[in-house]
Amino acid sequence: MPKLPTSQTPYPEELASLPTHLFRQAVEQAALAISITDARANILYANAAFQRITGYDQSEIIGHNESILSYRVTPKLVYESLWAQIQRQRPWNGLLVNKRKDGSRYLADVTITPVVNEEGDTTHYLGMHRDVTEVHRLERQVQNQKTLIESMVDAAQVAIVLLDEQAQPLLDNQEYKKLASELDTEPAAILLTELRAKMGSAFEEAYGKHHNIAAREIAITQSNGLQRWFSCAVSWFEEHDVGADAFYEPLRRHYLLLTIQDISELKKQQEALRINSLHALLSEQERIQGLRETLAGAVYQLEGPLNMLSAVANMMERRRDTGSELPATSALEEAMSKSREALDTLRACIPDQGEEVIQAVNLNEVLSDVLKLTTPNMLGAGIVVEWLPVEGLATIPGQPAQLVNLFKQLVANAIEAVNEQRGGTRELRLSCRPLTDHFEVFIEDSGPGIAHELRYKVFQPFFTSKGAARQHLGLGLAMAQEVANRHGGTIDIDPEYRHGCRVRVQLPRATGGRHE
Ligand code: FAD
């Protein structure tokens, strides 16, 4: 620290030319409280601002020690360091709690400078102070608010992080720290990357213009393969630069506030609910389909004998034309008319299919739903499943529930086939691959396979190789083929496959569609 000038220090020339009374007036009229004391801090002079701030006039203050201003709450240590400093002939600056003449207190920002004579002794002290009570109050208020906001943010159940313009975290809360340790990486970086990928140019636009982004759902896969879901929202916070440079030319900085809510549990519940509803919908569809096929089968079975009766009636009709009327003719005609009526009633009883709207269906999602629906059966049967989805999007135009039903039927058949096998491997492989104008799905099982001569027969309604005791109607593959046909696709059984059964389903892509 530079040593203070003493009375020996030569004055600059321009200072020497100034009249002495100018210094006195300058001190007297200064807005700062100025006092001059002897070496024991007894006041010799106090300017007008000093009188204004302390409430003491000249006559009341002169001759008193500066300690008259002490409110006696300032720690002794502060005074000790004050005196230690000024006795080493160094200026001291600090905060003291002062008491005015009327007893009211104020916080004083005090600077004390020793005045050193030609011999190098401190003869006087120059004291300058200003009332900083209000500044201190505002600082404390800001500090209190900051503490309050920080504890609120910390207590929040959502992860919150504030990023600077270079996307570096500046502030975060407990939940965010917890998330970072769970993900073993910076959550903001991965979630913003996913958000950018999900929103595309809309993200760039919002980011560039500092527009808020409403909550969006983002899925990420952890290093352990588990998928987690987050609801992420972006809002912006604008700060005015507090630097002196920006006092007259305000500079604004933008901070990104990212709030992250873990919705994995909610998503899990929603998914379980969706699979349950899908289960219920499929069961209902299967029941209706079964009823339709049964009634259609019954109509078909009855139509045969009725046609025979009709032929007999025609023969009898011809004989009647030759004059040899048989007494049973009219009875037969009546029986036939009643039978037709009964058949019509039966046909009318066939329930409607309940047409599903054609929409863009992701085959990967359909097959994943089928696996979810059949997992309990496969676990129960100890079957090892291999699932090879199409990379990227596998979208076709179709009826989602019908398609799930189709593959569920094929997977159920595969599980049943594996269960028939005693010993050996118990495997099921589900794969999907893109071709130019269609997708191919393969369902392979390690069961006994289907005999070559039955490859086409198995698709006929009411054909079953299981026998009546197993209560199989033999409608599953017929229904699956009907659904595939309705989607413009096909189902066939690979005759070359030797390790069990391989069913291939081909489904066309949308016209002009390409694998993305
Ligand atoms: P004191 O007994 O006065 O002092 C407490 C401790 O300070 C002592 O134990 C000792 O270590 C040290 N000390 C005190 N006087 C001396 C001394 N002459 N020589 C060496 N060490 C000493 N105080 C305020 O509270 N408010 C002010 O605005 C203020 N302005 C001041 C302005 C000037 C120019 C100076 C020189 C001092 C100022 N002081 C001010 C300090 C003041 O003089 C007292 O030291 C202080 O108020 C404490 O007073 P006290 O009676 O509690 O204790």
Side-chain angles (χ1 to χ4, degrees):
M1 195 177 281
K3 207 142 167 51
L4 286 168
T6 65
S7 53
Q8 280 176 315
T9 314
Y11 286 115
E13 223 175 276
E14 57 276 23
L15 210 62
S17 66
L18 292 175
T20 323
H21 70 90
L22 185 62
F23 291 96
R24 181 184 280 275
Q25 277 171 348
V27 171
E28 183 57 27
Q29 291 166 22
L32 214 58
I34 296 177
S35 58
I36 297 172
T37 71
D38 64 13
R40 301 170 66 87
N42 295 318
I43 301 169
L44 306 173
Y45 166 79
N47 74 350
F50 186 101
Q51 295 168 46
R52 210 167 41 245
I53 291 175
T54 63
Y56 293 106
D57 61 31
Q58 284 271 9
S59 60
E60 292 168 315
I61 201 76
I62 301 298
H64 282 277
N65 194 282
E66 292 272 5
S67 64
I68 195 172
L69 299 177
S70 172
Y71 180 58
R72 312 277 161 200
V73 291
T74 306
K76 206 169 169 229
L77 203 70
V78 176
Y79 293 125
E80 284 174 357
S81 92
L82 177 163
W83 279 105
Q85 182 81 350
I86 60 176
Q87 281 183 331
R88 265 185 263 136
Q89 296 187 336
R90 286 177 179 166
W92 177 88
N93 173 257
L95 294 172
L96 299 173
V97 181
N98 275 1
K99 182 183 71 180
R100 294 189 189 87
K101 183 185 168 189
D102 63 8
S104 62
R105 276 82 60 195
Y106 67 97
L107 190 70
D109 181 359
V110 183
T111 301
I112 301 171
T113 312
V115 179
V116 183
N117 68 9
E118 289 170 6
E119 283 75 41
D121 299 324
T122 305
T123 54
H124 299 84
Y125 290 111
L126 172 70
M128 293 168 287
H129 78 258
R130 62 195 180 98
D131 182 352
V132 291
T133 314
E134 188 56 16
V135 176
H136 170 73
R137 193 184 66 79
L138 290 173
E139 271 175 9
R140 265 294 142 86
Q141 208 171 16
V142 168
Q143 190 59 42
N144 288 347
Q145 275 174 2
K146 188 169 171 265
T147 311
L148 184 77
I149 291 168
E150 276 173 2
S151 35
M152 274 169 65
V153 167
D154 247 359
Q157 292 300 301
V158 287
I160 299 172
V161 61
L162 187 71
L163 307 173
D164 66 13
E165 283 165 333
Q166 282 71 46
Q168 292 305 309
L170 287 177
L171 263 178
D172 57 17
N173 70 348
Q174 288 302 325
E175 279 295 309
Y176 185 83
K177 288 187 179 74
K178 198 170 125 212
L179 188 63
S181 75
E182 284 167 8
L183 297 180
D184 211 14
T185 179
E186 189 65 58
I190 29 173
L191 289 169
L192 285 177
T193 306
E194 290 296 325
L195 201 58
R196 180 175 272 124
K198 191 170 187 177
M199 291 177 62
S201 58
F203 179 88
E204 304 302 342
E205 201 184 326
Y207 201 88
K209 292 184 177 166
H210 301 130
H211 288 169
N212 292 350
I213 300 173
R216 304 224 171 196
E217 291 182 355
I218 303 286
I220 59 165
T221 308
Q222 291 184 162
S223 49
N224 59 7
L226 274 182
Q227 196 175 50
R228 286 181 71 174
W229 283 88
F230 299 96
S231 169
C232 300
V234 168
S235 44
W236 292 92
F237 158 66
E238 191 182 271
E239 186 197 61
H240 292 251
D241 195 326
V242 289
D245 302 359
F247 189 78
Y248 287 113
E249 284 176 23
L251 266 178
R252 289 187 180 87
R253 284 204 190 88
H254 290 92
Y255 297 97
L256 184 156
L257 188 74
L258 180 66
T259 51
I260 310 157
Q261 190 169 11
D262 189 346
I263 52 165
S264 307
E265 199 49 44
L266 185 75
K267 275 279 171 188
K268 226 154 77 184
Q269 286 168 8
Q270 281 176 351
E271 182 62 2
L273 209 66
R274 192 181 68 80
I275 291 294
N276 277 346
S277 331
L278 192 58
H279 218 309
L281 178 73
L282 292 187
S283 306
E284 181 59 11
Q285 269 187 8
E286 266 171 42
R287 195 185 64 78
I288 292 174
Q289 184 70 17
L291 205 59
R292 277 172 60 80
E293 300 286 353
T294 310
L295 289 173
V299 169
Y300 175 77
Q301 300 287 332
L302 289 174
E303 269 169 349
L306 188 63
N307 286 341
M308 280 168 66
L309 283 177
S310 179
V312 173
N314 280 342
M315 272 167 53
M316 290 167 85
E317 185 67 27
R318 277 200 295 277
R319 285 201 195 159
R320 189 167 59 177
D321 290 347
T322 59
S324 50
E325 187 173 347
L326 293 172
T329 309
S330 57
L332 187 62
E333 271 172 0
E334 193 175 336
M336 277 175 50
S337 142
K338 290 273 183 240
S339 301
R340 283 199 190 95
E341 266 176 40
L343 268 184
D344 287 344
T345 313
L346 215 52
R347 278 196 198 95
C349 288
I350 297 177
D352 280 343
Q353 195 128 41
E355 276 304 292
E356 228 188 322
V357 181
I358 306 246
Q359 53 193 276
V361 184
N362 185 340
L363 271 182
N364 280 342
E365 283 172 12
V366 166
L367 294 169
S368 144
D369 281 353
V370 168
L371 286 176
K372 281 178 195 155
L373 287 164
T374 50
T375 297
N377 296 354
M378 286 195 273
L379 283 177
I383 295 173
V384 179
V385 185
E386 193 182 354
W387 159 223
L388 303 168
V390 173
E391 276 187 25
L393 279 179
T395 314
I396 60 161
Q399 297 167 303
Q402 295 283 328
L403 287 169
V404 171
N405 226 346
L406 182 167
F407 290 110
K408 190 174 160 245
Q409 182 61 51
L410 299 180
V411 170
N413 285 358
I415 295 172
E416 203 160 305
V418 173
N419 279 341
E420 273 177 32
Q421 186 100 314
R422 288 187 197 283
T425 51
R426 303 175 71 75
E427 288 169 0
L428 194 149
R429 192 163 182 269
L430 200 59
S431 57
C432 184
R433 66 171 187 180
L435 293 173
T436 321
D437 54 0
H438 64 277
F439 287 98
E440 271 187 346
V441 181
F442 293 98
I443 299 107
E444 296 163 14
D445 66 65
S446 59
I450 293 176
H452 195 267
E453 62 279 12
L454 297 180
R455 277 196 307 127
Y456 300 110
K457 236 180 161 178
V458 287
F459 292 103
Q460 287 174 10
F462 300 106
F463 175 84
T464 174
S465 57
K466 316 285 186 206
R470 305 280 296 268
Q471 295 190 334
H472 267 272
L473 280 175
L475 290 169
L477 282 179
M479 179 278 288
Q481 194 169 49
E482 196 197 319
V483 175
N485 292 347
R486 266 212 310 275
H487 283 80
T490 57
I491 303 186
D492 55 15
I493 292 163
D494 184 355
E496 309 298 330
Y497 197 69
R498 296 280 169 265
H499 312 289
C501 177
R502 169 151 66 185
V503 180
R504 178 178 66 167
V505 182
Q506 293 186 307
L507 292 165
R509 292 162 180 272
T511 329
R514 282 180 51 78
H515 174 60
E516 290 154 64

